[in-house]
Amino acid sequence: MTQYVELTEAAAFQVKKMMEHNGDEGSFLRVSVNGGGCSGLTYGLGFAEQQTDEDILSTQHGINVLVTKEDAPILTGTKVDYKESLMGGGFTIDNPNAIASCGCGTSFRTASKAGSPQSCD
């Protein structure tokens, strides 16, 4: 079975903390691709209560991760990490399929999907 998104141990730890804080224990972590942003596509990270027939499930470090069958080719090989710095912490997403990104750091496009670029107001 192909693992489309790799969740690091640091990211899983932070997701677990967020689930506990929000009362979302037992939820799934959904990693998605949405249209928009300067380069046409943006990432989505959120919690889902249910898995659908369109989802691919993997379990990593105790976290159930969902990716839709439509997003899977775009996300193949993507690594989700969590980094702490003096300025705070945040999730980072490293997608080897992204061929371009914009200055804001949250938008990208791939060779096979350009998305719907919008201005970065």
Side-chain angles (χ1 to χ4, degrees), residues 16-80:
K16 285 178 189 176
K17 277 178 52 176
M18 293 171 74
M19 285 179 166
E20 290 169 4
H21 183 265
N22 296 331
D24 287 320
E25 295 98 331
S27 293
F28 299 90
L29 173 66
R30 181 174 296 285
V31 181
S32 61
V33 175
N34 306 304
C38 319
S39 296
L41 300 171
T42 60
Y43 297 106
L45 291 175
F47 298 128
E49 292 184 15
Q50 295 182 332
Q51 179 181 359
T52 71
D53 291 340
E54 294 302 310
D55 290 325
I56 300 166
L57 172 68
S58 67
T59 302
Q60 302 170 50
H61 307 290
I63 301 293
N64 291 316
V65 181
L66 297 178
V67 173
T68 66
K69 293 174 185 173
E70 181 180 352
D71 292 343
I74 298 167
L75 293 171
T76 299
T78 296
K79 184 176 186 177
V80 178

Short mmCIF file of all heavy atoms in Angstrom, two decimals, residues 16-80:
data_model
loop_
_atom_site.label_atom_id
_atom_site.label_comp_id
_atom_site.label_asym_id
_atom_site.label_seq_id
_atom_site.Cartn_x
_atom_site.Cartn_y
_atom_site.Cartn_z
N LYS A 16 -1.71 15.36 17.89
CA LYS A 16 -2.32 14.75 19.08
C LYS A 16 -2.66 15.81 20.12
O LYS A 16 -3.74 15.80 20.72
CB LYS A 16 -1.40 13.69 19.70
CG LYS A 16 -1.35 12.40 18.94
CD LYS A 16 -0.38 11.43 19.58
CE LYS A 16 -0.15 10.23 18.70
NZ LYS A 16 0.86 9.31 19.23
N LYS A 17 -1.73 16.75 20.35
CA LYS A 17 -1.98 17.84 21.31
C LYS A 17 -3.18 18.67 20.88
O LYS A 17 -4.03 19.02 21.71
CB LYS A 17 -0.75 18.75 21.42
CG LYS A 17 0.32 18.24 22.36
CD LYS A 17 1.55 19.12 22.43
CE LYS A 17 1.27 20.57 22.72
NZ LYS A 17 2.51 21.37 22.88
N MET A 18 -3.27 18.97 19.60
CA MET A 18 -4.39 19.77 19.08
C MET A 18 -5.71 19.00 19.21
O MET A 18 -6.74 19.59 19.55
CB MET A 18 -4.13 20.17 17.64
CG MET A 18 -2.97 21.14 17.49
SD MET A 18 -2.51 21.43 15.78
CE MET A 18 -3.85 22.47 15.26
N MET A 19 -5.68 17.71 18.93
CA MET A 19 -6.88 16.88 19.05
C MET A 19 -7.38 16.89 20.49
O MET A 19 -8.58 17.05 20.74
CB MET A 19 -6.63 15.46 18.59
CG MET A 19 -6.54 15.29 17.10
SD MET A 19 -6.20 13.56 16.69
CE MET A 19 -6.58 13.55 14.95
N GLU A 20 -6.47 16.71 21.43
CA GLU A 20 -6.84 16.72 22.85
C GLU A 20 -7.39 18.08 23.27
O GLU A 20 -8.41 18.16 23.95
CB GLU A 20 -5.63 16.35 23.71
CG GLU A 20 -5.21 14.90 23.57
CD GLU A 20 -3.86 14.61 24.22
OE1 GLU A 20 -3.26 15.50 24.87
OE2 GLU A 20 -3.39 13.45 24.07
N HIS A 21 -6.71 19.14 22.84
CA HIS A 21 -7.13 20.49 23.20
C HIS A 21 -8.51 20.83 22.65
O HIS A 21 -9.31 21.49 23.31
CB HIS A 21 -6.10 21.51 22.69
CG HIS A 21 -6.41 22.92 23.06
ND1 HIS A 21 -7.09 23.76 22.22
CD2 HIS A 21 -6.17 23.61 24.20
CE1 HIS A 21 -7.24 24.94 22.82
NE2 HIS A 21 -6.69 24.87 24.02
N ASN A 22 -8.82 20.36 21.43
CA ASN A 22 -10.09 20.68 20.78
C ASN A 22 -11.17 19.63 21.01
O ASN A 22 -12.28 19.77 20.49
CB ASN A 22 -9.88 20.84 19.26
CG ASN A 22 -8.99 22.00 18.93
OD1 ASN A 22 -8.94 22.99 19.65
ND2 ASN A 22 -8.28 21.89 17.83
N GLY A 23 -10.85 18.58 21.77
CA GLY A 23 -11.83 17.53 22.01
C GLY A 23 -12.09 16.69 20.77
O GLY A 23 -13.19 16.16 20.58
N ASP A 24 -11.09 16.56 19.91
CA ASP A 24 -11.23 15.82 18.66
C ASP A 24 -10.52 14.47 18.68
O ASP A 24 -10.16 13.94 17.63
CB ASP A 24 -10.67 16.65 17.48
CG ASP A 24 -11.56 17.81 17.11
OD1 ASP A 24 -12.79 17.64 17.12
OD2 ASP A 24 -11.02 18.89 16.81
N GLU A 25 -10.30 13.90 19.88
CA GLU A 25 -9.65 12.60 19.95
C GLU A 25 -10.47 11.61 19.13
O GLU A 25 -11.69 11.63 19.15
CB GLU A 25 -9.55 12.10 21.39
CG GLU A 25 -8.65 12.93 22.26
CD GLU A 25 -9.42 13.94 23.11
OE1 GLU A 25 -10.50 14.38 22.68
OE2 GLU A 25 -8.94 14.28 24.18
N GLY A 26 -9.80 10.75 18.39
CA GLY A 26 -10.49 9.77 17.57
C GLY A 26 -10.82 10.28 16.18
O GLY A 26 -11.31 9.53 15.35
N SER A 27 -10.55 11.55 15.92
CA SER A 27 -10.78 12.09 14.58
C SER A 27 -9.66 11.68 13.65
O SER A 27 -8.63 11.16 14.07
CB SER A 27 -10.84 13.63 14.63
OG SER A 27 -11.97 14.06 15.33
N PHE A 28 -9.85 11.94 12.38
CA PHE A 28 -8.84 11.70 11.36
C PHE A 28 -8.16 13.03 11.04
O PHE A 28 -8.79 14.09 11.13
CB PHE A 28 -9.49 11.19 10.06
CG PHE A 28 -10.22 9.89 10.21
CD1 PHE A 28 -11.56 9.86 10.55
CD2 PHE A 28 -9.57 8.69 9.98
CE1 PHE A 28 -12.26 8.67 10.67
CE2 PHE A 28 -10.25 7.48 10.10
CZ PHE A 28 -11.59 7.47 10.45
N LEU A 29 -6.91 13.00 10.65
CA LEU A 29 -6.24 14.17 10.11
C LEU A 29 -6.40 14.11 8.60
O LEU A 29 -5.98 13.15 7.96
CB LEU A 29 -4.75 14.18 10.47
CG LEU A 29 -3.93 15.30 9.80
CD1 LEU A 29 -4.36 16.67 10.32
CD2 LEU A 29 -2.44 15.09 10.02
N ARG A 30 -7.03 15.13 8.03
CA ARG A 30 -7.20 15.19 6.58
C ARG A 30 -6.17 16.14 5.99
O ARG A 30 -6.07 17.29 6.39
CB ARG A 30 -8.60 15.67 6.20
CG ARG A 30 -8.81 15.72 4.68
CD ARG A 30 -10.23 16.04 4.30
NE ARG A 30 -11.17 15.03 4.71
CZ ARG A 30 -11.34 13.84 4.13
NH1 ARG A 30 -10.57 13.50 3.11
NH2 ARG A 30 -12.25 13.00 4.56
N VAL A 31 -5.39 15.62 5.03
CA VAL A 31 -4.44 16.43 4.28
C VAL A 31 -5.04 16.57 2.88
O VAL A 31 -5.34 15.57 2.23
CB VAL A 31 -3.05 15.76 4.20
CG1 VAL A 31 -2.07 16.64 3.44
CG2 VAL A 31 -2.52 15.45 5.60
N SER A 32 -5.23 17.82 2.45
CA SER A 32 -5.92 18.04 1.18
C SER A 32 -5.23 19.09 0.33
O SER A 32 -4.34 19.80 0.78
CB SER A 32 -7.37 18.46 1.45
OG SER A 32 -7.40 19.68 2.18
N VAL A 33 -5.67 19.17 -0.91
CA VAL A 33 -5.22 20.18 -1.86
C VAL A 33 -6.45 20.94 -2.31
O VAL A 33 -7.46 20.35 -2.69
CB VAL A 33 -4.53 19.53 -3.09
CG1 VAL A 33 -4.16 20.58 -4.12
CG2 VAL A 33 -3.30 18.75 -2.66
N ASN A 34 -6.37 22.28 -2.24
CA ASN A 34 -7.49 23.13 -2.62
C ASN A 34 -7.02 24.09 -3.70
O ASN A 34 -5.85 24.45 -3.77
CB ASN A 34 -7.98 23.93 -1.41
CG ASN A 34 -8.31 23.03 -0.23
OD1 ASN A 34 -9.10 22.12 -0.35
ND2 ASN A 34 -7.66 23.27 0.89
N GLY A 35 -7.95 24.55 -4.53
CA GLY A 35 -7.64 25.57 -5.52
C GLY A 35 -7.48 26.91 -4.84
O GLY A 35 -8.08 27.17 -3.81
N GLY A 36 -6.63 27.77 -5.42
CA GLY A 36 -6.46 29.12 -4.89
C GLY A 36 -5.01 29.44 -4.63
O GLY A 36 -4.11 28.70 -4.99
N GLY A 37 -4.78 30.58 -4.00
CA GLY A 37 -3.42 31.04 -3.74
C GLY A 37 -2.78 31.61 -4.99
O GLY A 37 -3.31 31.49 -6.10
N CYS A 38 -1.66 32.24 -4.82
CA CYS A 38 -0.96 32.91 -5.93
C CYS A 38 -0.55 31.94 -7.04
O CYS A 38 -0.52 32.30 -8.21
CB CYS A 38 0.30 33.61 -5.44
SG CYS A 38 0.14 34.45 -3.89
N SER A 39 -0.17 30.71 -6.67
CA SER A 39 0.32 29.75 -7.65
C SER A 39 -0.76 28.78 -8.12
O SER A 39 -0.51 27.98 -9.02
CB SER A 39 1.50 28.95 -7.08
OG SER A 39 2.58 29.82 -6.81
N GLY A 40 -1.94 28.82 -7.53
CA GLY A 40 -3.05 28.01 -8.02
C GLY A 40 -3.56 26.93 -7.09
O GLY A 40 -4.71 26.52 -7.17
N LEU A 41 -2.71 26.42 -6.19
CA LEU A 41 -3.12 25.36 -5.26
C LEU A 41 -2.65 25.71 -3.85
O LEU A 41 -1.60 26.34 -3.68
CB LEU A 41 -2.51 24.01 -5.67
CG LEU A 41 -2.87 23.47 -7.04
CD1 LEU A 41 -2.01 22.25 -7.38
CD2 LEU A 41 -4.34 23.12 -7.11
N THR A 42 -3.39 25.28 -2.86
CA THR A 42 -3.00 25.44 -1.46
C THR A 42 -3.23 24.12 -0.73
O THR A 42 -4.02 23.29 -1.16
CB THR A 42 -3.79 26.56 -0.75
OG1 THR A 42 -5.18 26.23 -0.78
CG2 THR A 42 -3.56 27.91 -1.39
N TYR A 43 -2.54 23.97 0.38
CA TYR A 43 -2.70 22.77 1.20
C TYR A 43 -3.77 23.02 2.25
O TYR A 43 -3.96 24.15 2.70
CB TYR A 43 -1.39 22.44 1.93
CG TYR A 43 -0.26 22.10 1.01
CD1 TYR A 43 0.78 23.01 0.80
CD2 TYR A 43 -0.21 20.88 0.35
CE1 TYR A 43 1.82 22.71 -0.05
CE2 TYR A 43 0.83 20.58 -0.51
CZ TYR A 43 1.84 21.50 -0.70
OH TYR A 43 2.87 21.21 -1.54
N GLY A 44 -4.42 21.95 2.65
CA GLY A 44 -5.36 22.01 3.75
C GLY A 44 -5.01 20.94 4.77
O GLY A 44 -4.67 19.81 4.41
N LEU A 45 -5.03 21.30 6.04
CA LEU A 45 -4.86 20.36 7.15
C LEU A 45 -6.04 20.59 8.07
O LEU A 45 -6.29 21.72 8.48
CB LEU A 45 -3.56 20.62 7.93
CG LEU A 45 -2.24 20.33 7.26
CD1 LEU A 45 -1.08 20.78 8.15
CD2 LEU A 45 -2.10 18.85 6.96
N GLY A 46 -6.76 19.53 8.39
CA GLY A 46 -7.89 19.68 9.28
C GLY A 46 -8.32 18.34 9.82
O GLY A 46 -7.79 17.29 9.44
N PHE A 47 -9.29 18.38 10.71
CA PHE A 47 -9.80 17.16 11.31
C PHE A 47 -11.11 16.75 10.63
O PHE A 47 -11.90 17.60 10.25
CB PHE A 47 -10.03 17.34 12.81
CG PHE A 47 -8.77 17.64 13.57
CD1 PHE A 47 -8.70 18.72 14.42
CD2 PHE A 47 -7.65 16.85 13.43
CE1 PHE A 47 -7.55 19.01 15.11
CE2 PHE A 47 -6.48 17.12 14.12
CZ PHE A 47 -6.44 18.21 14.97
N ALA A 48 -11.28 15.46 10.46
CA ALA A 48 -12.50 14.89 9.89
C ALA A 48 -13.02 13.83 10.85
O ALA A 48 -12.23 13.08 11.42
CB ALA A 48 -12.22 14.29 8.52
N GLU A 49 -14.32 13.80 11.01
CA GLU A 49 -14.91 12.81 11.92
C GLU A 49 -15.13 11.46 11.26
O GLU A 49 -15.20 10.44 11.94
CB GLU A 49 -16.24 13.34 12.47
CG GLU A 49 -16.05 14.51 13.41
CD GLU A 49 -17.35 14.98 14.02
OE1 GLU A 49 -18.36 14.23 13.96
OE2 GLU A 49 -17.36 16.08 14.57
N GLN A 50 -15.24 11.47 9.91
CA GLN A 50 -15.53 10.22 9.21
C GLN A 50 -14.65 10.07 7.97
O GLN A 50 -14.25 11.04 7.36
CB GLN A 50 -16.99 10.18 8.77
CG GLN A 50 -17.97 10.15 9.91
CD GLN A 50 -19.40 10.07 9.40
OE1 GLN A 50 -19.71 10.51 8.31
NE2 GLN A 50 -20.28 9.50 10.21
N GLN A 51 -14.44 8.82 7.61
CA GLN A 51 -13.74 8.48 6.38
C GLN A 51 -14.81 8.23 5.32
O GLN A 51 -15.87 7.68 5.61
CB GLN A 51 -12.91 7.21 6.60
CG GLN A 51 -12.17 6.74 5.39
CD GLN A 51 -11.37 5.47 5.66
OE1 GLN A 51 -11.37 4.94 6.77
NE2 GLN A 51 -10.71 4.96 4.64
N THR A 52 -14.54 8.65 4.07
CA THR A 52 -15.49 8.42 2.98
C THR A 52 -14.92 7.36 2.03
O THR A 52 -13.76 6.96 2.15
CB THR A 52 -15.76 9.71 2.17
OG1 THR A 52 -14.59 10.03 1.41
CG2 THR A 52 -16.12 10.88 3.09
N ASP A 53 -15.73 6.95 1.06
CA ASP A 53 -15.29 5.98 0.05
C ASP A 53 -14.19 6.55 -0.84
O ASP A 53 -13.48 5.81 -1.50
CB ASP A 53 -16.47 5.55 -0.82
CG ASP A 53 -17.48 4.71 -0.05
OD1 ASP A 53 -17.12 4.16 1.01
OD2 ASP A 53 -18.64 4.62 -0.50
N GLU A 54 -14.07 7.87 -0.89
CA GLU A 54 -13.07 8.54 -1.72
C GLU A 54 -11.74 8.72 -1.00
O GLU A 54 -10.79 9.26 -1.58
CB GLU A 54 -13.59 9.90 -2.19
CG GLU A 54 -14.78 9.79 -3.13
CD GLU A 54 -14.46 8.97 -4.38
OE1 GLU A 54 -13.43 9.25 -5.03
OE2 GLU A 54 -15.22 8.04 -4.69
N ASP A 55 -11.65 8.30 0.26
CA ASP A 55 -10.46 8.50 1.06
C ASP A 55 -9.52 7.30 1.06
O ASP A 55 -9.97 6.16 1.01
CB ASP A 55 -10.83 8.80 2.52
CG ASP A 55 -11.47 10.15 2.71
OD1 ASP A 55 -11.09 11.10 1.99
OD2 ASP A 55 -12.35 10.27 3.58
N ILE A 56 -8.24 7.61 1.15
CA ILE A 56 -7.21 6.61 1.37
C ILE A 56 -6.69 6.85 2.79
O ILE A 56 -6.35 7.97 3.14
CB ILE A 56 -6.07 6.78 0.34
CG1 ILE A 56 -6.61 6.61 -1.07
CG2 ILE A 56 -4.94 5.79 0.64
CD1 ILE A 56 -5.65 7.07 -2.15
N LEU A 57 -6.65 5.79 3.59
CA LEU A 57 -6.28 5.89 5.01
C LEU A 57 -4.90 5.31 5.24
O LEU A 57 -4.56 4.24 4.73
CB LEU A 57 -7.30 5.14 5.87
CG LEU A 57 -6.99 4.96 7.34
CD1 LEU A 57 -7.03 6.29 8.07
CD2 LEU A 57 -7.95 3.96 7.97
N SER A 58 -4.10 6.03 6.02
CA SER A 58 -2.85 5.47 6.54
C SER A 58 -2.77 5.86 8.01
O SER A 58 -3.35 6.86 8.43
CB SER A 58 -1.62 6.00 5.78
OG SER A 58 -1.44 7.38 6.00
N THR A 59 -2.10 5.04 8.80
CA THR A 59 -1.93 5.34 10.22
C THR A 59 -0.44 5.51 10.49
O THR A 59 0.36 4.64 10.15
CB THR A 59 -2.50 4.21 11.10
OG1 THR A 59 -3.89 4.05 10.77
CG2 THR A 59 -2.37 4.54 12.57
N GLN A 60 -0.10 6.67 11.05
CA GLN A 60 1.30 7.00 11.31
C GLN A 60 1.43 7.59 12.70
O GLN A 60 0.74 8.56 13.02
CB GLN A 60 1.80 8.00 10.26
CG GLN A 60 1.66 7.48 8.84
CD GLN A 60 1.93 8.56 7.84
OE1 GLN A 60 2.94 9.25 7.92
NE2 GLN A 60 1.03 8.72 6.89
N HIS A 61 2.29 7.02 13.50
CA HIS A 61 2.55 7.49 14.86
C HIS A 61 1.24 7.64 15.65
O HIS A 61 1.08 8.57 16.43
CB HIS A 61 3.31 8.82 14.84
CG HIS A 61 4.56 8.81 14.03
ND1 HIS A 61 5.68 8.11 14.41
CD2 HIS A 61 4.85 9.38 12.83
CE1 HIS A 61 6.62 8.26 13.49
NE2 HIS A 61 6.15 9.02 12.52
N GLY A 62 0.30 6.73 15.41
CA GLY A 62 -0.97 6.75 16.12
C GLY A 62 -2.00 7.73 15.57
O GLY A 62 -3.08 7.87 16.14
N ILE A 63 -1.71 8.38 14.46
CA ILE A 63 -2.65 9.33 13.84
C ILE A 63 -3.19 8.71 12.55
O ILE A 63 -2.42 8.23 11.71
CB ILE A 63 -1.94 10.67 13.48
CG1 ILE A 63 -1.34 11.32 14.72
CG2 ILE A 63 -2.89 11.62 12.77
CD1 ILE A 63 -2.35 11.80 15.73
N ASN A 64 -4.51 8.70 12.39
CA ASN A 64 -5.15 8.23 11.17
C ASN A 64 -5.19 9.38 10.18
O ASN A 64 -5.84 10.40 10.43
CB ASN A 64 -6.56 7.72 11.45
CG ASN A 64 -6.55 6.45 12.26
OD1 ASN A 64 -5.77 5.55 11.98
ND2 ASN A 64 -7.40 6.37 13.26
N VAL A 65 -4.49 9.22 9.05
CA VAL A 65 -4.34 10.27 8.05
C VAL A 65 -5.18 9.93 6.82
O VAL A 65 -5.06 8.82 6.28
CB VAL A 65 -2.85 10.45 7.64
CG1 VAL A 65 -2.69 11.55 6.61
CG2 VAL A 65 -1.98 10.71 8.87
N LEU A 66 -5.99 10.89 6.38
CA LEU A 66 -6.83 10.72 5.19
C LEU A 66 -6.34 11.61 4.06
O LEU A 66 -6.00 12.78 4.28
CB LEU A 66 -8.28 11.11 5.49
CG LEU A 66 -9.04 10.29 6.51
CD1 LEU A 66 -10.45 10.86 6.71
CD2 LEU A 66 -9.12 8.83 6.09
N VAL A 67 -6.34 11.05 2.86
CA VAL A 67 -6.05 11.77 1.62
C VAL A 67 -7.08 11.28 0.61
O VAL A 67 -7.32 10.08 0.51
CB VAL A 67 -4.63 11.46 1.10
CG1 VAL A 67 -4.39 12.06 -0.27
CG2 VAL A 67 -3.57 11.93 2.09
N THR A 68 -7.71 12.19 -0.13
CA THR A 68 -8.68 11.73 -1.13
C THR A 68 -7.94 11.10 -2.31
O THR A 68 -6.78 11.42 -2.59
CB THR A 68 -9.57 12.87 -1.67
OG1 THR A 68 -8.76 13.80 -2.39
CG2 THR A 68 -10.33 13.56 -0.55
N LYS A 69 -8.63 10.22 -3.02
CA LYS A 69 -8.06 9.58 -4.20
C LYS A 69 -7.69 10.63 -5.25
O LYS A 69 -6.72 10.45 -5.97
CB LYS A 69 -9.04 8.56 -4.77
CG LYS A 69 -9.25 7.37 -3.85
CD LYS A 69 -10.34 6.45 -4.37
CE LYS A 69 -10.60 5.33 -3.35
NZ LYS A 69 -11.75 4.50 -3.73
N GLU A 70 -8.45 11.71 -5.33
CA GLU A 70 -8.16 12.78 -6.29
C GLU A 70 -6.88 13.53 -5.94
O GLU A 70 -6.09 13.89 -6.82
CB GLU A 70 -9.33 13.77 -6.33
CG GLU A 70 -9.14 14.90 -7.31
CD GLU A 70 -10.29 15.88 -7.32
OE1 GLU A 70 -11.33 15.62 -6.70
OE2 GLU A 70 -10.14 16.93 -7.98
N ASP A 71 -6.65 13.77 -4.64
CA ASP A 71 -5.46 14.51 -4.20
C ASP A 71 -4.21 13.65 -4.12
O ASP A 71 -3.09 14.16 -4.13
CB ASP A 71 -5.70 15.16 -2.83
CG ASP A 71 -6.72 16.27 -2.86
OD1 ASP A 71 -7.03 16.77 -3.96
OD2 ASP A 71 -7.21 16.64 -1.77
N ALA A 72 -4.36 12.33 -4.04
CA ALA A 72 -3.23 11.42 -3.83
C ALA A 72 -2.09 11.61 -4.83
O ALA A 72 -0.93 11.70 -4.41
CB ALA A 72 -3.71 9.97 -3.81
N PRO A 73 -2.35 11.71 -6.14
CA PRO A 73 -1.22 11.88 -7.07
C PRO A 73 -0.44 13.17 -6.84
O PRO A 73 0.78 13.20 -7.02
CB PRO A 73 -1.88 11.89 -8.45
CG PRO A 73 -3.20 11.25 -8.26
CD PRO A 73 -3.61 11.56 -6.85
N ILE A 74 -1.13 14.22 -6.43
CA ILE A 74 -0.48 15.51 -6.18
C ILE A 74 0.36 15.46 -4.90
O ILE A 74 1.39 16.11 -4.79
CB ILE A 74 -1.53 16.64 -6.08
CG1 ILE A 74 -2.30 16.76 -7.39
CG2 ILE A 74 -0.90 17.97 -5.71
CD1 ILE A 74 -3.54 17.60 -7.30
N LEU A 75 -0.09 14.66 -3.93
CA LEU A 75 0.55 14.61 -2.62
C LEU A 75 1.57 13.49 -2.45
O LEU A 75 2.25 13.42 -1.43
CB LEU A 75 -0.51 14.49 -1.52
CG LEU A 75 -1.42 15.71 -1.34
CD1 LEU A 75 -2.56 15.39 -0.39
CD2 LEU A 75 -0.62 16.90 -0.85
N THR A 76 1.72 12.62 -3.44
CA THR A 76 2.63 11.48 -3.32
C THR A 76 4.04 11.96 -2.96
O THR A 76 4.61 12.79 -3.64
CB THR A 76 2.67 10.67 -4.63
OG1 THR A 76 1.36 10.16 -4.89
CG2 THR A 76 3.66 9.52 -4.53
N GLY A 77 4.56 11.45 -1.86
CA GLY A 77 5.90 11.80 -1.40
C GLY A 77 5.96 13.02 -0.50
O GLY A 77 7.03 13.42 -0.06
N THR A 78 4.82 13.61 -0.20
CA THR A 78 4.78 14.82 0.63
C THR A 78 5.08 14.49 2.08
O THR A 78 4.61 13.49 2.62
CB THR A 78 3.39 15.49 0.52
OG1 THR A 78 3.21 15.92 -0.84
CG2 THR A 78 3.26 16.68 1.44
N LYS A 79 5.87 15.36 2.71
CA LYS A 79 6.24 15.20 4.12
C LYS A 79 5.67 16.36 4.93
O LYS A 79 5.91 17.52 4.61
CB LYS A 79 7.76 15.18 4.24
CG LYS A 79 8.28 14.92 5.63
CD LYS A 79 9.80 14.83 5.59
CE LYS A 79 10.38 14.44 6.92
NZ LYS A 79 11.84 14.28 6.84
N VAL A 80 4.89 16.03 5.96
CA VAL A 80 4.34 17.04 6.87
C VAL A 80 5.14 16.97 8.17
O VAL A 80 5.23 15.91 8.79
CB VAL A 80 2.84 16.79 7.15
CG1 VAL A 80 2.30 17.81 8.13
CG2 VAL A 80 2.03 16.81 5.86
#
